[in-house]
Short mmCIF file of all heavy atoms in Angstrom, two decimals:
data_model
loop_
_atom_site.label_atom_id
_atom_site.label_comp_id
_atom_site.label_asym_id
_atom_site.label_seq_id
_atom_site.Cartn_x
_atom_site.Cartn_y
_atom_site.Cartn_z
N PRO A 734 -101.36 31.80 2.47
CA PRO A 734 -101.51 30.65 1.56
C PRO A 734 -100.14 30.12 1.13
O PRO A 734 -99.17 30.85 0.98
CB PRO A 734 -102.29 31.24 0.38
CG PRO A 734 -102.01 32.71 0.43
CD PRO A 734 -101.88 33.03 1.88
N SER A 735 -100.14 28.81 0.92
CA SER A 735 -98.90 28.16 0.49
C SER A 735 -98.69 28.28 -1.02
O SER A 735 -97.63 27.91 -1.52
CB SER A 735 -98.91 26.68 0.88
OG SER A 735 -100.04 26.03 0.31
N ALA A 736 -99.69 28.76 -1.73
CA ALA A 736 -99.56 28.91 -3.18
C ALA A 736 -100.18 30.23 -3.61
O ALA A 736 -101.25 30.61 -3.13
CB ALA A 736 -100.23 27.76 -3.92
N VAL A 737 -99.49 30.94 -4.49
CA VAL A 737 -99.96 32.20 -5.04
C VAL A 737 -99.92 32.08 -6.56
O VAL A 737 -98.86 31.81 -7.13
CB VAL A 737 -99.09 33.37 -4.56
CG1 VAL A 737 -99.59 34.68 -5.15
CG2 VAL A 737 -99.09 33.44 -3.03
N PHE A 738 -101.09 32.24 -7.20
CA PHE A 738 -101.19 32.09 -8.66
C PHE A 738 -100.68 30.70 -9.09
O PHE A 738 -99.88 30.55 -10.00
CB PHE A 738 -100.40 33.18 -9.38
CG PHE A 738 -100.87 34.57 -9.05
CD1 PHE A 738 -100.06 35.45 -8.37
CD2 PHE A 738 -102.14 34.97 -9.42
CE1 PHE A 738 -100.50 36.72 -8.08
CE2 PHE A 738 -102.59 36.26 -9.13
CZ PHE A 738 -101.77 37.13 -8.44
N GLN A 739 -101.12 29.66 -8.35
CA GLN A 739 -100.76 28.27 -8.65
C GLN A 739 -99.24 28.02 -8.57
O GLN A 739 -98.72 27.08 -9.15
CB GLN A 739 -101.28 27.82 -10.02
CG GLN A 739 -102.78 27.62 -10.07
CD GLN A 739 -103.53 28.93 -10.12
OE1 GLN A 739 -103.10 29.89 -10.75
NE2 GLN A 739 -104.67 28.98 -9.43
N GLN A 740 -98.53 28.86 -7.86
CA GLN A 740 -97.10 28.67 -7.65
C GLN A 740 -96.82 28.68 -6.16
O GLN A 740 -97.58 29.25 -5.38
CB GLN A 740 -96.29 29.78 -8.35
CG GLN A 740 -96.42 29.77 -9.87
CD GLN A 740 -95.58 30.87 -10.51
OE1 GLN A 740 -94.94 31.65 -9.82
NE2 GLN A 740 -95.58 30.92 -11.83
N ALA A 741 -95.71 28.02 -5.80
CA ALA A 741 -95.35 27.99 -4.38
C ALA A 741 -95.07 29.40 -3.88
O ALA A 741 -94.44 30.21 -4.57
CB ALA A 741 -94.11 27.11 -4.19
N SER A 742 -95.57 29.70 -2.70
CA SER A 742 -95.42 31.04 -2.14
C SER A 742 -93.97 31.28 -1.74
O SER A 742 -93.31 30.40 -1.19
CB SER A 742 -96.33 31.21 -0.92
OG SER A 742 -96.09 32.43 -0.29
N PRO A 743 -93.45 32.48 -2.02
CA PRO A 743 -92.08 32.79 -1.57
C PRO A 743 -91.99 33.06 -0.08
O PRO A 743 -90.90 33.31 0.43
CB PRO A 743 -91.74 34.05 -2.37
CG PRO A 743 -93.07 34.71 -2.61
CD PRO A 743 -94.05 33.58 -2.77
N SER A 744 -93.11 33.02 0.62
CA SER A 744 -93.12 33.28 2.06
C SER A 744 -93.67 32.06 2.79
O SER A 744 -94.52 31.33 2.26
CB SER A 744 -93.99 34.50 2.37
OG SER A 744 -94.15 34.68 3.76
N PRO A 745 -93.23 31.78 4.01
CA PRO A 745 -93.79 30.65 4.77
C PRO A 745 -95.25 30.89 5.11
O PRO A 745 -95.75 32.01 5.11
CB PRO A 745 -92.90 30.62 6.03
CG PRO A 745 -91.67 31.38 5.68
CD PRO A 745 -92.11 32.42 4.70
N GLU A 746 -95.92 29.80 5.38
CA GLU A 746 -97.31 29.91 5.83
C GLU A 746 -97.40 30.60 7.18
O GLU A 746 -98.26 31.44 7.41
CB GLU A 746 -97.94 28.52 5.91
CG GLU A 746 -98.20 27.87 4.56
CD GLU A 746 -98.92 26.55 4.71
OE1 GLU A 746 -98.97 26.02 5.84
OE2 GLU A 746 -99.45 26.05 3.71
N ASN A 747 -96.51 30.22 8.10
CA ASN A 747 -96.49 30.80 9.44
C ASN A 747 -95.30 31.76 9.51
O ASN A 747 -94.14 31.35 9.39
CB ASN A 747 -96.34 29.70 10.49
CG ASN A 747 -96.43 30.23 11.91
OD1 ASN A 747 -96.60 31.42 12.13
ND2 ASN A 747 -96.31 29.33 12.88
N VAL A 748 -95.59 33.05 9.67
CA VAL A 748 -94.52 34.06 9.66
C VAL A 748 -94.18 34.53 11.07
O VAL A 748 -93.55 35.59 11.24
CB VAL A 748 -94.92 35.26 8.78
CG1 VAL A 748 -95.02 34.86 7.34
CG2 VAL A 748 -96.23 35.88 9.27
N ASP A 749 -94.55 33.76 12.10
CA ASP A 749 -94.12 34.12 13.46
C ASP A 749 -92.59 34.12 13.53
O ASP A 749 -91.92 33.26 12.95
CB ASP A 749 -94.68 33.12 14.47
CG ASP A 749 -96.21 33.17 14.54
OD1 ASP A 749 -96.79 34.12 13.97
OD2 ASP A 749 -96.80 32.25 15.13
N ARG A 750 -92.07 35.08 14.27
CA ARG A 750 -90.62 35.24 14.34
C ARG A 750 -90.17 35.39 15.79
O ARG A 750 -90.83 36.06 16.60
CB ARG A 750 -90.14 36.46 13.55
CG ARG A 750 -90.49 36.41 12.08
CD ARG A 750 -89.88 37.57 11.34
NE ARG A 750 -88.42 37.49 11.37
CZ ARG A 750 -87.62 38.49 11.01
NH1 ARG A 750 -88.14 39.62 10.61
NH2 ARG A 750 -86.31 38.34 11.05
N ALA A 751 -89.03 34.75 16.11
CA ALA A 751 -88.41 34.86 17.44
C ALA A 751 -87.01 35.43 17.28
O ALA A 751 -86.33 35.17 16.28
CB ALA A 751 -88.36 33.50 18.12
N GLN A 752 -86.60 36.20 18.26
CA GLN A 752 -85.28 36.83 18.22
C GLN A 752 -84.73 36.94 19.62
O GLN A 752 -85.47 37.20 20.59
CB GLN A 752 -85.37 38.22 17.57
CG GLN A 752 -84.04 38.90 17.36
CD GLN A 752 -84.19 40.24 16.66
OE1 GLN A 752 -85.31 40.64 16.30
NE2 GLN A 752 -83.09 40.93 16.47
N PHE A 753 -83.42 36.72 19.75
CA PHE A 753 -82.74 36.83 21.05
C PHE A 753 -81.32 37.31 20.81
O PHE A 753 -80.64 36.88 19.87
CB PHE A 753 -82.74 35.49 21.78
CG PHE A 753 -81.95 35.50 23.06
CD1 PHE A 753 -82.49 36.04 24.22
CD2 PHE A 753 -80.66 34.99 23.10
CE1 PHE A 753 -81.75 36.09 25.38
CE2 PHE A 753 -79.93 35.01 24.27
CZ PHE A 753 -80.47 35.55 25.43
N ASP A 754 -80.88 38.19 21.69
CA ASP A 754 -79.52 38.71 21.62
C ASP A 754 -79.04 38.93 23.05
O ASP A 754 -79.57 39.79 23.76
CB ASP A 754 -79.46 40.02 20.83
CG ASP A 754 -78.04 40.43 20.49
OD1 ASP A 754 -77.11 39.72 20.90
OD2 ASP A 754 -77.86 41.47 19.82
N GLY A 755 -78.03 38.16 23.45
CA GLY A 755 -77.54 38.27 24.82
C GLY A 755 -76.04 38.11 24.90
O GLY A 755 -75.42 37.44 24.06
N LYS A 756 -75.47 38.73 25.92
CA LYS A 756 -74.03 38.61 26.14
C LYS A 756 -73.73 38.82 27.62
O LYS A 756 -74.45 39.51 28.34
CB LYS A 756 -73.25 39.61 25.30
CG LYS A 756 -73.49 41.06 25.67
CD LYS A 756 -72.64 42.00 24.81
CE LYS A 756 -72.85 43.47 25.20
NZ LYS A 756 -72.01 44.36 24.38
N ILE A 757 -72.63 38.20 28.03
CA ILE A 757 -72.11 38.35 29.38
C ILE A 757 -70.66 38.77 29.24
O ILE A 757 -69.83 38.01 28.75
CB ILE A 757 -72.24 37.05 30.20
CG1 ILE A 757 -73.69 36.60 30.26
CG2 ILE A 757 -71.67 37.25 31.60
CD1 ILE A 757 -73.88 35.27 30.96
N ALA A 758 -70.36 39.99 29.66
CA ALA A 758 -69.01 40.56 29.52
C ALA A 758 -68.37 40.66 30.89
O ALA A 758 -68.99 41.18 31.83
CB ALA A 758 -69.06 41.93 28.85
N GLY A 759 -67.16 40.16 31.00
CA GLY A 759 -66.41 40.22 32.25
C GLY A 759 -65.05 40.86 32.07
O GLY A 759 -64.40 40.67 31.04
N ARG A 760 -64.64 41.64 33.05
CA ARG A 760 -63.33 42.29 33.03
C ARG A 760 -62.60 42.01 34.33
O ARG A 760 -63.15 42.19 35.41
CB ARG A 760 -63.48 43.80 32.85
CG ARG A 760 -62.16 44.52 32.60
CD ARG A 760 -62.29 46.03 32.74
NE ARG A 760 -62.40 46.45 34.13
CZ ARG A 760 -63.44 47.07 34.65
NH1 ARG A 760 -64.48 47.36 33.89
NH2 ARG A 760 -63.46 47.41 35.93
#
Side-chain angles (χ1 to χ4, degrees):
S735 57
V737 180
F738 301 114
Q739 288 75 38
Q740 296 181 358
S742 173
S744 173
E746 289 184 345
N747 185 0
V748 294
D749 295 348
R750 300 185 64 192
Q752 186 177 358
F753 174 79
D754 192 358
K756 66 178 181 179
I757 302 176
R760 189 193 74 242

